[in-house]
Amino acid sequence: MKIVDAAALNQPVIETDRFVLRPLRPSDAGMISHYTSDRRVAEGTRAIPHPLPPGASEGFVARALSPERTEDVWAIDGSAHRLDELLGVVSLTRMEGNQSELGFWIGAGFWNTGFATEAVEALVAANPHGSRTLFAEAFQDNPGSARVLTNSGFVYLGDAESWSVARNARVPTWTYLRKME
């Protein structure tokens, strides 16, 4: 796999008190596979299958490093603070009208640590897409993700549903909005 540096991706490295958000790199595939092979993590997302097929993590990293990508993905890297090199990921997907959709997941061993809220707040503050509006959603059976969003200044917009690959079903969601200033 071709290695691309952060400058070539036009993706900033964002520092927080406990970790940095940095572009993915090929060496992250193993930990992504490890964390997302947990059914609870996969079922908390729209796109992660369970069981995770061979090569899925490598494919995800390759898409995240592609110059043609529409989604920027950051690793939540705690290695500078004696934490794991990959705690989870946070992403922004470009949408029409100067808007982006925010997504995130955290490895199950790091749930209830505040890492997700810290990562989302840092990404929102940096606003690397220069978005005027951010959208996000949480499955209604995952109130922890909803709290991350509301703690980060997102406002409830309404109910909807999204397809979950891991669940092979439509799942009720709460949709959130964050207007940027």
Side-chain angles (χ1 to χ4, degrees):
M1 176 182 297
K2 181 179 172 188
I3 297 177
V4 180
D5 68 15
L9 288 173
N10 194 26
Q11 227 179 290
V13 172
I14 302 164
E15 294 188 37
T16 77
D17 289 340
R18 298 187 289 172
F19 49 77
V20 298
L21 303 179
R22 60 159 174 81
L24 291 183
R25 50 188 176 224
S27 62
D28 292 326
M31 289 307 294
I32 289 171
S33 182
H34 172 73
Y35 291 138
T36 61
S37 66
D38 184 322
R39 177 182 297 275
R40 298 168 300 167
V41 174
E43 288 184 349
T45 72
R46 291 186 301 208
I48 298 172
H50 186 73
L52 195 66
S57 296
E58 291 81 1
F60 174 71
V61 171
R63 286 188 304 279
L65 297 176
S66 169
E68 291 84 35
R69 73 194 182 285
T70 57
E71 177 184 34
D72 289 331
V73 182
W74 285 265
I76 302 169
D77 184 336
S79 60
H81 298 278
R82 297 185 181 180
L83 297 167
D84 284 358
E85 187 171 343
L86 186 84
L87 307 169
V89 302
V90 63
S91 67
L92 287 174
T93 303
R94 288 176 178 79
M95 300 170 64
E96 292 180 7
N98 201 23
Q99 302 176 108
S100 296
E101 182 178 20
L102 180 135
F104 63 92
W105 60 260
I106 299 290
F110 305 107
W111 289 353
N112 300 310
T113 60
F115 290 153
T117 299
E118 190 173 335
V120 168
E121 287 176 347
L123 193 57
V124 166
N127 193 12
H129 287 181
S131 301
R132 64 178 177 81
T133 307
L134 298 177
F135 291 93
E137 70 179 10
F139 289 148
Q140 291 183 11
D141 60 2
N142 186 352
S145 286
R147 277 191 303 278
V148 167
L149 295 171
T150 58
N151 288 344
S152 302
F154 283 78
V155 177
Y156 171 76
L157 190 60
D159 290 3
E161 62 181 17
S162 287
W163 183 260
S164 168
V165 174
R167 299 179 195 207
N168 194 30
R170 290 201 163 280
V171 180
T173 62
W174 293 307
T175 303
Y176 293 87
L177 166 87
R178 167 84 191 247
K179 291 190 179 198
M180 306 301 286
E181 299 180 17

